[in-house]
Amino acid sequence: MKIIVMDSANVRIEFLNVPDYMIEEDIEQFLAEHDYSLNNISWMAAPIDFVPVQFHDFGICQANGEEIHVTRQARLKDFSIYDSVKEVKNREQEELAAALRLYGEKVDDGYEWHFEGECPIVAAYDYDEPCDVVILSVRVDKDGYFTIIGDEKNDRGNEHEIEIDEVFAGHLEYLTSEIGK
């Protein structure tokens, strides 16, 4: 759950991630334990990832003395590194799926590509350990689920499936760039 804290004493807004199970009393106790003065803040729970924000500029036109009002909308979001990595991974997966649908071989309910010769190598968590993995083939089905077959670079001869989320952010590009060549 997201908690938006407006601190009037320090003139700031803070955006906190807290466990979803917290109720009002838990949140106020949590805030007090983390040095928020309950007398100087207002807070609200927001069970969403993005919070719409509207900026207003009011002024007076120098030419005619009429009031000017300009509005701009934006979104406040959690800018943690985890969310940024997740966005990169999602974009890479979309690009990989698009390349497979464009250049891959149609099989059953999806598209696949088999790498030949010098296969792309990605960094991934394989058996919970980070390592280099030689990618032999990749497939996307009609629902957008991927199947990646790889082999650990330093322990060849053990082809197996690699989960797409186990591939490091920024590394699916190595597959996408080889498809269609």
Side-chain angles (χ1 to χ4, degrees):
M1 171 177 8
K2 312 291 191 243
I3 303 296
I4 300 168
V5 177
M6 294 168 282
D7 185 334
S8 59
N10 297 308
V11 190
R12 70 174 185 243
I13 298 173
E14 296 189 26
F15 195 55
L16 312 174
N17 278 323
V18 297
D20 288 336
Y21 64 81
M22 293 180 111
I23 59 174
E24 184 173 342
E25 294 79 23
D26 294 333
I27 293 170
E28 289 192 350
Q29 181 179 350
F30 174 86
L31 292 170
E33 289 172 357
H34 288 87
D35 298 325
Y36 289 94
S37 170
L38 296 178
N39 295 329
N40 296 327
I41 66 168
S42 297
W43 65 270
M44 65 181 199
I48 56 177
D49 289 330
F50 294 94
V51 177
V53 177
Q54 206 165 43
F55 295 93
H56 296 271
D57 284 325
F58 291 94
I60 303 292
C61 178
Q62 295 293 333
N64 61 17
E66 292 182 16
E67 183 178 278
I68 300 171
H69 178 214
V70 179
T71 304
R72 178 175 59 91
Q73 293 190 14
R75 294 190 311 180
L76 177 66
K77 76 176 212 176
D78 177 12
F79 290 104
S80 71
I81 190 70
Y82 172 77
D83 288 338
S84 298
V85 168
K86 188 175 175 182
E87 285 179 33
V88 167
K89 284 183 151 192
N90 287 339
R91 189 181 76 230
E92 283 186 312
Q93 290 175 18
E94 290 170 7
E95 291 171 359
L96 179 58
L100 286 168
R101 290 183 182 112
L102 185 61
Y103 298 110
E105 179 183 342
K106 175 86 169 121
V107 289
D108 299 327
D109 66 341
Y111 295 88
E112 66 183 35
W113 185 269
H114 295 268
F115 298 99
E116 296 177 9
E118 207 169 308
C119 299
I121 298 173
V122 300
Y125 285 99
D126 196 17
Y127 303 114
D128 296 326
E129 295 291 325
C131 64
D132 290 335
V133 179
V134 178
I135 303 300
L136 305 170
S137 67
V138 62
R139 176 182 179 165
V140 66
D141 70 13
K142 65 179 170 59
D143 297 322
Y145 295 107
F146 289 90
T147 303
I148 299 174
I149 303 299
D151 196 0
E152 240 184 84
K153 181 181 174 187
N154 296 327
D155 185 24
R156 299 298 301 265
N158 183 22
E159 297 175 10
H160 58 283
E161 188 172 333
I162 308 292
E163 295 291 325
I164 193 136
D165 288 332
E166 299 299 317
V167 176
F168 287 21
H171 284 239
L172 287 179
E173 169 59 29
Y174 299 128
L175 308 182
T176 304
S177 66
E178 291 295 318
I179 294 174
K181 279 188 170 180

